[in-house]
Amino acid sequence: MSGIMDNFSWLYGKPSCQGRIKVEPEDFIVNENLGFDFAGHGEHFMVKIRKTGENTKYVVNELAKACGVKSRDVSWAGLKDRHAVTEQWLSVHLPGKPDPDLTQFVAEHPGVEVLETARHDKKLRPGDLSGNWFQLRLRDLDQPEAVLERLTHIAAHGVPNYFGEQRFGHSGNNVVKARAWGNDEFRVRDKSKRSFYLSAARSWLFNMILSARIEQKLVHTVMAGDWLQPGSDAGLESGMTGHLVEDVAAAQQAVDDSSWLLTAPMMGDNALPTTGEAEAFEMALVEQEPLLLKLIRDNRMRHERRPLLLKPTDMAWAQEGDQVTVSFSLPAGCFATAVVRELMLEPELEDKENNNENSDQ
């Protein structure tokens, strides 16, 4: 990708190939995996939809009307791209009411299909999913062979677990606003804006540390005082599961065989769990952004850890002329754009501010 993400290092060097993505909605397919079964009964009417070229929140509002409830009674596990074909579950709170007939809803919204319905005893909440499966078509590639070579590296060694550009807003505006808020230039009362700016601040600091470790060739190398997380899908979620490195040689072996993962901080108002060399490395970087750090601490965010590297699973790809279609699965909280960024550059990035949500999560 390009733009705001050019601030951060590439794991395999800046791509030489240029191409295009999301020319058509069908070029970006996302299928949500909740990772659990529904109870089959309960107050919540579960609706699996496939939407094409539609915004999740717009569909939520329209589904609420069709079910005779308010928009706040409809919830989701993850937002999905507008300019894409996406499958996801929505939950509608309908206590004591029968399943509604959605025939008219589908007829009035040609970009939305209802695939399944069910009942459950709990509402969906943001983050209630194990991951997403993606199928992406990369078009107009001027060096498709370079993309294929990089795909083999990614399948073997993964990509940087960066937060994607959509986390930071158009031209990084969420980070700019977060700095201004941290500088007490204005107050933020709107709950959603507070969340956007705080998430952008923490994500920016994480990306800074990850980028520096790549640049200094420390992304695979254990530092004294590092914090490791288990090398499992669950460990890819931000959290504090893990342990402090005391024996560097033993930790390096565990990282080399992927049983443990190196991490960087999602900053909070409490002390870093890292010590020594790793703590000094992290603090030297985050202190370059004092306004973001102040904002995070003023809002009493709690420190978490996030793995440095992301290894897609179920990877497959095929070339057809100057196009490459690639599919893979990612855990919740990870961004497909982190994979695309290592494969190619878009020469003229379109304004996606109104087309993207936190879609890769």
Side-chain angles (χ1 to χ4, degrees):
M1 313 304 282
S2 60
I4 191 69
M5 293 298 291
D6 282 348
N7 289 276
F8 308 119
S9 303
W10 284 266
L11 184 58
Y12 305 106
K14 189 172 183 177
S16 59
C17 179
Q18 293 192 349
R20 301 169 70 202
I21 190 171
K22 295 187 180 180
V23 175
E24 303 291 341
E26 291 77 13
D27 292 348
F28 199 95
I29 297 173
V30 189
N31 293 345
E32 185 177 79
N33 177 19
L34 292 181
F36 61 87
D37 296 324
F38 297 130
H41 58 83
E43 297 183 347
H44 301 278
F45 178 55
M46 317 301 288
V47 185
K48 187 177 184 180
I49 62 166
R50 179 189 292 126
K51 61 183 185 64
T52 302
E54 297 288 2
N55 177 290
T56 300
K57 291 183 178 179
Y58 168 76
V59 176
V60 163
N61 292 337
E62 295 302 297
L63 180 61
K65 294 176 186 176
C67 295
V69 300
K70 296 180 179 180
S71 294
R72 65 170 179 263
D73 294 318
V74 183
S75 57
W76 58 89
L79 296 173
K80 298 291 182 285
D81 269 348
R82 175 182 178 183
H83 196 66
V85 178
T86 67
E87 294 183 10
Q88 69 181 118
W89 284 94
L90 303 174
S91 69
V92 186
H93 192 210
L94 291 174
K97 297 180 181 179
D99 293 357
D101 183 351
L102 298 178
T103 304
Q104 189 64 27
F105 166 73
V106 172
E108 293 175 354
H109 301 87
V112 182
E113 303 170 64
V114 173
L115 305 179
E116 296 179 54
T117 62
R119 280 278 178 168
H120 195 45
D121 53 4
K122 296 178 182 177
K123 68 180 288 186
L124 288 177
R125 299 180 184 277
D128 282 351
L129 72 163
S130 64
N132 295 291
W133 176 84
F134 298 87
Q135 181 177 288
L136 314 180
R137 182 183 291 116
L138 311 180
R139 296 176 179 261
D140 302 331
L141 300 172
D142 60 4
Q143 299 179 48
E145 66 285 349
V147 170
L148 298 179
E149 181 180 357
R150 284 185 173 236
L151 282 167
T152 62
H153 291 308
I154 290 171
H157 305 293
V159 297
N161 194 17
Y162 283 129
F163 288 94
E165 62 182 338
Q166 56 266 58
R167 176 60 59 93
F168 306 118
H170 178 54
S171 300
N173 186 62
N174 287 350
V175 181
V176 174
K177 292 286 190 181
R179 292 191 187 107
W181 182 15
N183 199 36
D184 298 322
E185 295 175 22
F186 61 89
R187 300 179 68 179
V188 182
R189 293 183 174 85
D190 183 270
K191 190 174 180 179
S192 62
K193 288 185 177 180
R194 291 177 68 91
S195 178
F196 287 148
Y197 300 156
L198 287 167
S199 293
R202 300 176 85 203
S203 302
W204 187 262
L205 296 179
F206 173 88
N207 280 12
M208 283 178 58
I209 294 171
L210 172 51
S211 179
R213 288 193 73 140
I214 294 172
E215 185 179 358
Q216 298 185 35
K217 302 189 185 306
L218 293 171
V219 75
H220 298 289
T221 303
V222 175
M223 302 168 69
D226 258 327
W227 186 270
L228 304 185
Q229 284 186 345
S232 64
D233 287 350
L236 284 168
E237 299 177 9
S238 296
M240 285 306 301
T241 304
H243 68 84
L244 182 70
V245 168
E246 296 178 351
D247 184 334
V248 172
Q252 187 64 61
Q253 180 60 49
V255 168
D256 290 344
D257 65 21
S258 300
S259 57
W260 289 89
L261 306 174
L262 289 164
T263 68
M266 296 292 293
M267 292 299 297
D269 68 341
N270 50 329
L272 292 175
T274 48
T275 62
E277 182 184 8
E279 180 187 17
F281 182 90
E282 292 173 354
M283 288 306 301
L285 288 162
V286 299
E287 286 175 349
Q288 295 175 19
E289 288 280 3
L291 297 178
L292 298 184
L293 200 54
K294 176 181 178 294
L295 178 66
I296 291 165
R297 289 171 172 169
D298 285 350
N299 283 271
R300 306 301 299 273
M301 306 295 291
R302 301 303 293 169
H303 182 93
E304 298 176 299
R305 305 295 294 187
R306 177 180 171 94
L308 297 178
L309 296 177
L310 164 66
K311 194 170 183 179
T313 58
D314 308 318
M315 285 197 75
W317 58 85
Q319 178 189 2
E320 185 176 346
D322 63 356
Q323 298 184 16
V324 171
T325 301
V326 56
S327 61
F328 51 84
S329 296
L330 298 180
C334 299
F335 290 75
T337 50
V339 178
V340 177
R341 182 177 182 272
E342 291 287 335
L343 295 173
M344 63 169 229
L345 300 173
E346 289 184 86
E348 294 181 5
L349 192 66
E350 296 179 3
D351 182 354
K352 299 179 182 178
E353 180 182 17
N354 296 319
N355 288 341
N356 281 341
E357 304 174 82
N358 284 334
S359 54
D360 301 81
Q361 301 187 70

